[in-house]
Amino acid sequence: EVQLLESGGGLVQPGGSLRLSCAASGFIFSNFAMNWFRQGPGKGLEWVSTIGGTGSTTYYADSVRGRFTISRDNSKNTLYLQMSNLRDDDTAIYYCANSIGTGYWGQGTLVTVSS
Amino acid sequence: AIQMTQSPFSLSASVGDRVTITCRASQGIGNDLSWYQKKPGKAPKLLIYVASSLQSGVPSRFSGSGSGTDFTLTISSLQPEDFATYYCLQHYNYPYTFGQGTKLDIK
């Protein structure tokens, strides 16, 4: 059974940093690109970032480029999102997801940016 | 970035109704489009991928069609559990972009 379990969310002050993790199981992790999405309060879904299976290719939304870094450790079957210089509008539930079309998403972790 | 224009923004319907939601891409995206159902407190659920393929386990009352720039999601006979918000997602190129969402509620 495929499982994706996010962790690392919490309350952080504007300008602060946070690292999200997504522990994957039930599939050959290194074979799949992985994604981060988010949904802010009262807002729609937003794609954040994608990383290829080997970790050598990464893509970012303009809203997070230069502040967020996606990475993965295939030996640990874990996906990461390092978030820095956080802003109020980064407040959201963050979801990790397998490749588009597989339909596998985690349950999300809440990030709240507030002073 | 490719813009996805989804309509309607909201929709009131009754159990048993047939409903259609549309997404229009600002440029051609082939069939690289997925449809998701989102309920509060739950992760998005994939309904349709590559425009018209039904995800495993999703009821057959859901269907998708279209290619290029115009796409539709149809629910043939609404069930109580279908009242939710629906989103289209283009993954033709980066940045991936969602439609604005369609909130489907009970009339």
Side-chain angles (χ1 to χ4, degrees):
Chain A
E1 178 191 7
V2 171
Q3 290 194 338
L4 297 169
L5 183 61
E6 302 96 337
S7 61
L11 175 63
V12 60
Q13 292 187 337
S17 298
L18 211 56
R19 187 176 83 157
L20 306 182
S21 299
C22 172
S25 60
F27 63 101
I28 302 175
F29 184 66
S30 59
N31 283 0
F32 292 87
M34 295 293 294
N35 303 277
W36 286 101
F37 295 89
R38 68 183 181 184
Q39 185 174 35
K43 297 182 180 179
L45 293 169
E46 180 184 15
W47 169 78
V48 174
S49 184
T50 298
I51 187 168
T54 63
S56 60
T57 55
T58 58
Y59 305 89
Y60 297 94
D62 287 347
S63 58
V64 306
R65 185 177 292 111
R67 300 187 300 121
F68 291 11
T69 302
I70 191 172
S71 63
R72 64 192 297 160
D73 185 335
N74 286 345
S75 69
K76 295 182 178 179
N77 289 350
T78 303
L79 174 72
Y80 302 101
L81 187 68
Q82 178 68 48
M83 305 185 294
S84 61
N85 194 18
L86 283 159
R87 310 186 304 217
D88 291 350
D89 61 359
D90 294 318
T91 294
I93 298 173
Y94 285 73
Y95 299 96
C96 69
N98 203 330
S99 299
I100 304 297
T102 65
Y104 296 117
W105 290 57
Q107 286 304 302
T109 187
L110 176 62
V111 172
T112 303
V113 184
S114 175
S115 55
Chain B
I2 297 173
Q3 294 187 6
M4 302 301 297
T5 303
Q6 186 173 338
S7 62
F9 178 75
S10 64
L11 179 58
S12 293
S14 302
V15 172
D17 284 354
R18 178 185 181 92
V19 300
T20 299
I21 299 169
T22 66
C23 261
R24 172 164 289 177
S26 59
Q27 67 181 73
I29 60 170
N31 64 352
D32 290 336
L33 182 113
S34 303
W35 289 97
Y36 291 85
Q37 179 191 69
K38 182 68 171 71
K39 295 182 177 180
K42 299 286 189 180
K45 178 183 178 181
L46 177 66
L47 302 173
I48 302 288
Y49 62 100
V50 293
S52 61
S53 293
L54 188 68
Q55 174 70 351
S56 176
V58 173
S60 59
R61 63 181 179 272
F62 291 91
S63 64
S65 65
S67 66
T69 59
D70 294 307
F71 302 86
T72 61
L73 172 70
T74 299
I75 311 172
S76 60
S77 178
L78 275 173
Q79 298 301 301
E81 60 268 29
D82 299 337
F83 292 96
T85 302
Y86 293 85
Y87 294 89
C88 62
L89 168 68
Q90 73 79 17
H91 51 98
Y92 178 76
N93 64 15
Y94 295 100
Y96 292 168
T97 45
F98 286 92
Q100 301 94 322
T102 295
K103 186 174 183 180
L104 177 55
D105 60 22
I106 300 173
K107 184 185 289 183

